[in-house]
Amino acid sequence: DFLPLKCDACGEAFCKDHIRYDDHKCSSAYKKNVQVPVCPLCNTPIPVQRGEIPDIVVGAHIDKDCKYNPAQQKQKIFTNKCTKAGCKRKEMMKVVCEQCGGSFCIKHRHPLDHDCRGGSQPISKA
């Protein structure tokens, strides 16, 4: 408890209560106590030069270089709407009829299920 501890920034000796940079107002703390701010939107580290205020640098990053895209988080997965009249289902993958070329849901994917008019005869009675 009474052994002196050497500050790794300024090299002076302190007790356990004053070894922290803030506790002994270390003049060389800037050499060791380096913190890199992170953009709250895109989570990328922002380099700050010595003497610059981190809040101002992060604000400039948000205004100019930030790659944050709020629309990217809310992209819809189910975007392929069934073209059968009266059906409102949407599928994740596009299901295209080989005869008419229409996009349908799983329930209406077969030519007989969506009253296909593309070919002369349906391929099978699925």
Side-chain angles (χ1 to χ4, degrees), residues 1-5 13-20 23-24:
D1 290 340
F2 298 107
L3 294 175
L5 300 170
F14 296 97
C15 66
K16 68 176 178 91
D17 295 330
H18 295 100
I19 191 62
R20 289 186 34 208
D23 293 338
H24 69 268

Side-chain angles (χ1 to χ4, degrees), residues 31-84:
K31 296 177 187 175
K32 298 285 182 170
N33 193 13
V34 178
Q35 295 178 354
V36 178
V38 177
C39 177
L41 301 176
C42 65
N43 291 328
T44 55
I46 313 296
V48 178
Q49 301 299 322
R50 208 173 272 145
E52 289 183 320
I53 300 170
D55 291 340
I56 294 173
V57 176
V58 172
H61 162 79
I62 291 172
D63 292 340
K64 295 178 184 174
D65 303 326
C66 191
K67 304 285 189 254
Y68 176 70
N69 184 3
Q72 199 173 38
Q73 293 177 347
K74 294 185 179 183
Q75 288 179 343
K76 294 181 181 179
I77 296 173
F78 299 95
T79 57
N80 299 303
K81 189 175 184 304
C82 182
T83 54
K84 164 97 170 141

Side-chain angles (χ1 to χ4, degrees), residues 78-112:
F78 299 95
T79 57
N80 299 303
K81 189 175 184 304
C82 182
T83 54
K84 164 97 170 141
C87 183
K88 296 181 180 180
R89 289 191 53 142
K90 295 178 182 178
E91 296 293 335
M92 189 182 326
M93 304 265 311
K94 196 170 194 175
V95 181
V96 180
C97 176
E98 294 176 0
Q99 293 181 4
C100 66
S103 177
F104 298 98
C105 66
I106 298 294
K107 186 177 177 184
H108 300 118
R109 71 184 182 272
H110 297 294
L112 290 176

